Every structure is written in C-alpha cells, then in structure tokens.
Amino acid sequence: MKYQGANDSESTIRPFDGSNPPKLIKDSEPVYPEEAKAAGLSGRVTVEIIVNHNGDVEDVRILSSNNHVFDSPAMAAARQWKFEPPIDDKGNKISVYFIRTVNFKAK
C-alpha cells in the first residue's frame, strides 16, 4: 500500500505485524447517536486505520458494522486518536495500518 507522505514523496504503509502495536496516547470516545440511545441499541464497528510516522490517524475505513447508525461516530472518534509514532525493528518511524473495534453499549 502506498500513500503520498510528507514532502510529496511516496511512502510505504506497512501492516501492523502483531508484535508491537502503536501505543495509544490520546483516546477519543465516540458520540452515541441520539436515535440509537432512544432505541436502546448497542453496536460494534470495526475500523482499519492508518497511523502515520507522526502517530496521527491519517485514514479510517469501516471493515464491518452491525448497525450503520454507529459508523460515522466511530470514524469521527478514530480520526481523533493519537498514537506514539510507530517504529520498525531498526528504530525508524514508519506508517502502519491496523484494525481496532469501537463498541457502543446501550445504557
């Protein structure tokens, strides 16, 4: 997977290999949709995110969702997450993509 990175040069985005996930340093809770709250709905949205070499979420896409009313709030929350910059085994900052699930629980 390629993307246009800093300085308009092409950079490679690596899949997260499972051994050392980027560390979340700023979480963002999703906004629970009023219509879902009123209906007592719970949900789960699985997103694939690209974390760039600065630890910012650069792109978000929905992989699965059990109720689409939760998609936009999950994506908006994911865009606010901040991670420690991912590094490779040589200590270089890299961009990675990985999967995270956002849960919505009715109260």
Side-chain angles (χ1 to χ4, degrees), residues 2-3 5-6 31 33 36 40 49 51 64-65 80-81 92 102-103 107:
K2 301 273 187 184
Y3 79 104
V31 174
I49 61 173
V51 178
S64 66
S65 174
Q80 300 301 311
W81 298 335
N92 300 312
V102 180
N103 293 301
K107 295 180 181 175

Side-chain angles (χ1 to χ4, degrees), residues 53-81:
H53 62 280
N54 292 321
D56 298 315
V57 174
E58 192 162 288
D59 195 23
V60 181
R61 95 181 158 115
I62 303 289
L63 294 181
S64 66
S65 174
N66 68 348
N67 191 320
H68 295 296
V69 72
F70 298 112
D71 292 0
S72 289
M75 290 180 73
R79 287 185 183 103
Q80 300 301 311
W81 298 335

Side-chain angles (χ1 to χ4, degrees), residues 3 11-17 20 22 50-56 58 84-97:
Y3 79 104
S11 300
T12 301
I13 302 170
R14 301 177 188 186
F16 163 61
D17 66 7
N20 202 9
I50 294 174
V51 178
N52 70 19
H53 62 280
N54 292 321
D56 298 315
E58 192 162 288
E84 286 185 359
I87 56 171
D88 65 13
D89 56 354
K90 296 177 183 169
N92 300 312
K93 290 183 180 180
I94 59 172
S95 295
V96 297
Y97 63 93

Side-chain angles (χ1 to χ4, degrees), residues 27-32 73 76-77 80-81 100 102-104:
D27 202 358
S28 178
E29 290 294 318
V31 174
Y32 204 103
Q80 300 301 311
W81 298 335
R100 192 166 184 220
V102 180
N103 293 301
F104 296 82

